[in-house]
Amino acid sequence: ITCSIKSRPRSVTMTRSNRDQELAFSVMGGNMHQPMAPAFDGIFISTVEPGSIAEKNGLKKGDEVGA
């Protein structure tokens, strides 16, 4: 994940106790609605639930998700 403010890549690993536990963040972006588009727009964190494991692990709105 790349922070939108600092631009330095960082690694965040999140675990869940089971598959039913929510990750408590949403993403937006990419070109999923235009699969034939040549450019990749990036995927970004759009929301993080306050007090969630995602927030506690440092995810912030605007962070870019990388491979």
Side-chain angles (χ1 to χ4, degrees), residues 1-14 45 48 53-67:
I1 297 176
T2 304
C3 180
S4 61
I5 297 171
K6 295 181 183 177
S7 303
R8 286 187 292 170
R10 59 191 167 93
S11 178
V12 174
T13 302
M14 294 177 43
I45 303 294
V48 178
I53 193 164
E55 183 183 57
K56 290 174 185 172
N57 277 285
L59 292 183
K60 294 180 175 59
K61 181 178 179 178
D63 283 352
E64 184 174 9
V65 177

Side-chain angles (χ1 to χ4, degrees), residues 1-35:
I1 297 176
T2 304
C3 180
S4 61
I5 297 171
K6 295 181 183 177
S7 303
R8 286 187 292 170
R10 59 191 167 93
S11 178
V12 174
T13 302
M14 294 177 43
T15 59
R16 303 183 288 178
S17 58
N18 63 59
R19 290 179 155 238
D20 295 328
Q21 183 180 6
E22 294 183 10
L23 292 173
F25 67 89
S26 300
V27 297
M28 66 179 202
N31 56 6
M32 62 187 246
H33 297 293
Q34 301 173 5

